[in-house]
């Protein structure tokens, strides 16, 4: 071959390659135009996917997939996240002071293989979730599950749990075909974390009653779904096929403008700017459910500066909240408290802390600290809704510098910074809290002695009044009263807690103009089953 | 290096000696080196990963599960993290000897199975990319050398310098913007358009697998998806190979034996192709080998931008989640690629240049 290699031939080969590209391009054009006719819905998402096993998944992408493969007892509809509606269950009855919930199942539901769905399937799914000891197992912590008949399921909680109706709507509590899963290595017995072998089966085949079926599953490239012909519920699939692709946001921006039947889920408000006014794309930018917050560690062993209550107040009143919301971009909103604006018990914007530099200076002076210098830790390699923690950290640094607080930025890879955050060793920390389920009970973690409270060095007993209020709110079942109690909690948290809620970043959903039913929901992002085309 | 020997012995192509025993010893030495180096790589990767101030359980379990002692204990037990480091390493090596690279903490799949999916995706891309780079880069390098100091040479030098200077991630985004978004000549991200399903896994090369199953349209689509990322990956290597080939050819072209060949009345084309290029190829081959290894192991950015599910994406995900078995698997793979590529290049030296074979 080498003996025939001449410069001229090299150029000819190069020319041939270019020609081949041109031919391929022509063919590519022809296939692109065929896409709409095939009835394929394309979702572009930056994957955080681990598994298609509903009882193991607890990631955003996994939630989108599980939501259409596996029906849940109750569900949220449209953009609502306050009222769980009937799905597999026709309804539920709470008793024993919100400790017992009885669900009645619909009788005509069939799994995708034609088998009828019974209470034994629900019991198996929930017990499997508990005994797998995986990421979503905490959802049913302290809950026992039993069948009260072929179409009755009873959940009993050790403590009053008014959040249970919202919890059972979570995709991780999707109901699997127990017979099929058992036949493929699944178990709901104690020790399932070691003995259950059904995950690889569930990564190949879905075993649910949802509007779509799993055709193929790859955690790094794409997931393919096909319509479930045996589906009996309200959300019948409108596309023959759905393809969810793992694509970075910059490429999503191009694809959603070029394609049809295409939805992009990861654009930041800044990235989406060219799409506003684009005739081929519908863009929604609304406040997402994630709360970005700053905290000052209250543990004096970690920092004698950040644990100073007056110093905490100086931070509280010096932050330029409006500027932070602007920086977060279009669709972003102020986090008035730790409970997102969409949820029961959220504070009104008017109740939010406002910047007051005079007061901040006075608090700093009263703290007795001179030229305080502290470290702000944040995950440097992690973005959420296209927003970088580094950018927000710089803004905080600049805000606090104006009253003489020197903040050293200490961004670290998330694997490292997460360990420090969870160990409660950060002086100042910039993090976000995403809802595990859409209920204010999920935000009791910010109280002293609770999950996030401890990360901020706020030990149990640090604020007994607030802790008592938290216990009361967490076990109250009347929604109106619960809402009021959570508002009181947040007002007090804002006044004297070590947390400074900043904003809820804008969540952008960009979709081809021909698509209908594209509605963002704070729990499952979008319901693929409700999306159709004109 | 050629001085003092008879011309007949030095002109490549004349000698037809069989591989001597030292060559077999060389093969054996390389194989042992491969094993030892592989073992060393596992030790270094293991130690470095454990030195990182982070906890795999914290990186892999959710914010609630990490607070649940039962979930944490279950995770640690499953991945052997409850054992001492020497014990963990010993178990790893024992399993490795038996062909078991452990289970990925992220996907809970055997690492060998995951590598079996990701490596072919990258290899398919890397092979096309290196083919383009060799054909174009070596061709342009020869052209630049034989037109030394003329306009063609100057233009090609600027072009090659541009090729090696442009950041790949930027180039990838620009290529997507121009050829996919603006011109719509080529498909965008991924290995296939959404309407095509992945062919049944046989080789992992979508083009070949689709052809083997008679899915012509899928094969065509897979080929089209290869073009843009392969070109982007090739551009840097085209620049590199153009520069190296030019330099290597210029180094050889003024040697005595080349002048002797010309004096014997051999045509200029034959002189360049049979004598100059053959003598220049070993050094170019080294660059080709390294370029291929670089593409196989360093396509992280291009794979991310083009949503190409290859080894680069796998390595990135493994590193950010402290997925130790996956990190070890990727490290081993990278080591093996470099060792095998260097070994292959060494063998090819002997094939191309008999002087090297004899020595």
């Amino acid at each position: 071959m080498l003996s025939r290699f001449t410069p001229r031939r090299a150029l000819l080969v190069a020319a041939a390659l270019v020609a081949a590209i041109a031919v391929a391009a022509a063919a590519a054009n022809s296939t692109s135009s065929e896409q709409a006719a095939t009835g394929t819905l394309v979702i572009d998402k930056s994957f955080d996917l681990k598994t298609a096993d509903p009882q193991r998944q607890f990631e955003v992408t996994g939630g989108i997939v599980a939501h259409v493969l596996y029906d849940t007892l109750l569900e949220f509809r449209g953009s609502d996240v306050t009222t769980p509606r009937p799905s597999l269950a026709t309804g539920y009855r709470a008793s024993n002071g919100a400790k017992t919930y009885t669900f009645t199942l619909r009788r005509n539901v069939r799994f995708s293989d034609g088998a009828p769905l019974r209470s034994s399937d629900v019991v198996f799914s929930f017990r499997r979730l508990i005994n797998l000891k995986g990421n979503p197992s905490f959802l049913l912590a302290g809950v026992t599950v039993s069948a009260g008949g072929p179409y009755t399921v009873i959940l009993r909680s050790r403590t009053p749990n008014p959040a249970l109706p919202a919890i059972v709507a979570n995709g991780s509590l999707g109901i699997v075909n127990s017979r099929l899963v058992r036949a493929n290595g699944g178990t709901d017995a104690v020790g399932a974390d070691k003995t259950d072998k059904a995950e690889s089966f569930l990564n190949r085949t879905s075993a649910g009653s949802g509007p779509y079926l799993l055709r193929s599953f790859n955690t790094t490239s794409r997931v393919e779904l096909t319509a479930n012909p045996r589906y009996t519920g309200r959300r019948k699939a409108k596309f023959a096929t759905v393809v969810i692709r793992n694509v970075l946001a910059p490429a999503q921006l191009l694809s959603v403008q070029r394609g049809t039947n295409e939805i992009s889920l990861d654009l930041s408000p800044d990235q989406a700017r060219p799409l506003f006014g684009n005739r081929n794309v519908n863009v929604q930018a609304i406040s997402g459910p994630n709360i970005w917050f700053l905290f000052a560690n209250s543990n004096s062993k970690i920092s004698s500066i950040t644990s100073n209550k007056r110093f905490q107040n100086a931070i509280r009143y010096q932050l330029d909240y409006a500027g932070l919301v602007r920086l977060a971009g279009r669709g972003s909103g102020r986090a008035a408290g730790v409970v997102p604006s969409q949820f029961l018990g959220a504070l009104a914007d008017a109740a939010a802390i406002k910047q007051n530099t005079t007061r901040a200076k006075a608090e700093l002076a009263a703290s007795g600290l001179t030229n305080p210098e502290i470290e702000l830790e944040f995950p440097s390699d992690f973005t959420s809704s296209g927003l970088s923690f580094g950018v927000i950290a710089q803004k905080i640094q600049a805000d606090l510098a104006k009253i003489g607080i020197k903040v050293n930025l200490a961004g670290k890879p998330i694997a490292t910074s997460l360990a420090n955050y969870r160990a409660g060793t950060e002086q100042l920390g910039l993090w976000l809290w995403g809802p595990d389920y859409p209920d204010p009970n999920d935000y009791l973690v910010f109280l002293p002695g609770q999950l996030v409270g401890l990360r901020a060095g706020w030990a149990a007993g640090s604020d007994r009044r607030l802790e008592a209020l938290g216990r009361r709110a967490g076990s109250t079942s009347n929604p109106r009263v619960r809402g009021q109690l959570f508002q009181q909690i947040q007002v007090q948290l804002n006044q004297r807690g070590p947390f400074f809620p900043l904003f809820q970043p804008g969540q952008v959903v960009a979709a081809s103009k021909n698509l209908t039913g594209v509605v963002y929901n704070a729990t499952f992002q979008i319901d693929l089953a409700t999306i159709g085309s004109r | 290096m050629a001085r003092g020997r008879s011309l007949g012995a030095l002109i490549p192509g004349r000698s037809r000696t069989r591989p001597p025993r030292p060559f077999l010893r060389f093969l054996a030495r390389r194989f042992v080196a491969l094993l030892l180096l592989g073992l060393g790589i596992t030790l270094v990767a293991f130690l470095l990963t454990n030195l990182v101030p982070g906890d795999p359980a914290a990186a892999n379990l959710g914010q609630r599960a990490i607070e649940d002692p039962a979930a944490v204990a279950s995770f640690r037990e499953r991945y052997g993290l409850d054992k001492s480091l020497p014990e963990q390493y010993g178990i790893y090596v024992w399993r490795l000897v038996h062909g078991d690279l452990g289970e990925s903490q992220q996907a809970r799949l055997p690492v060998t199975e995951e590598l079996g999916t990701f490596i072919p995706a990258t290899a398919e891309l890397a092979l096309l990319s290196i083919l383009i780079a060799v054909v174009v880069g070596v061709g342009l390098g020869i052209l630049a050398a034989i037109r030394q100091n003329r306009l063609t040479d100057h233009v090609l030098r600027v072009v090659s310098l541009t090729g090696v200077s442009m950041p790949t991630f930027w180039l990838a985004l620009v290529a997507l913007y121009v050829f996919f978004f603006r011109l719509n000549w080529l498909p965008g991200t991924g290995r296939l358009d959404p309407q095509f399903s992945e062919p049944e896994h046989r080789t992992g090369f979508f083009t070949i697998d689709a052809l083997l199953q008679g899915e012509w349209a899928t094969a065509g689509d897979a080929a089209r998806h290869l073009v843009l990322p392969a070109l982007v990956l090739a551009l840097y290597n085209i620049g590199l190979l153009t520069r190296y080939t030019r330099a290597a050819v210029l180094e050889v072209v003024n040697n005595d034996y080349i002048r002797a060949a010309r004096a014997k009345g051999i045509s200029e084309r034959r002189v360049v192709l049979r004598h100059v290029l053959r003598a220049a190829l070993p050094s170019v081959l080294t660059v080709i080998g390294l370029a291929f290894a670089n593409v196989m192991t360093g396509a992280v950015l291009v794979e991310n931008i083009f949503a190409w599910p290859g080894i680069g994406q796998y390595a990135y995900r493994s590193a950010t989640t402290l997925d130790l078995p996956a990190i070890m698997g990727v490290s081993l793979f990278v080591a093996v690629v470099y060792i095998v590529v260097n070994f292959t290049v060494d063998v090819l030296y002997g094939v191309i240049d008999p002087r090297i074979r004899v020595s």
Side-chain angles (χ1 to χ4, degrees), chain A residues 292-297 303 306 311 315 319 324 373-380 388-401 405-412 417 420-421 425-431 498 500 502:
Chain A
W292 285 54
F293 64 92
L294 179 74
F295 72 81
N297 203 308
S303 169
T306 59
F311 179 79
I315 294 177
L319 291 172
L324 283 161
E373 184 172 345
I374 48 174
E375 196 171 75
L376 170 56
E377 286 192 50
F378 58 91
S380 57
S388 157
F389 279 79
V391 173
I392 302 301
Q394 285 173 33
K395 167 71 176 153
I396 291 167
Q397 182 187 43
D399 285 352
L400 299 184
I405 299 174
K406 186 176 180 190
V407 175
N408 298 317
L409 300 185
K412 296 183 175 76
S417 53
N420 292 347
Y421 170 48
T425 59
E426 295 183 342
Q427 295 182 348
L428 272 188
L430 176 63
W431 289 93
F500 317 111
L502 303 176

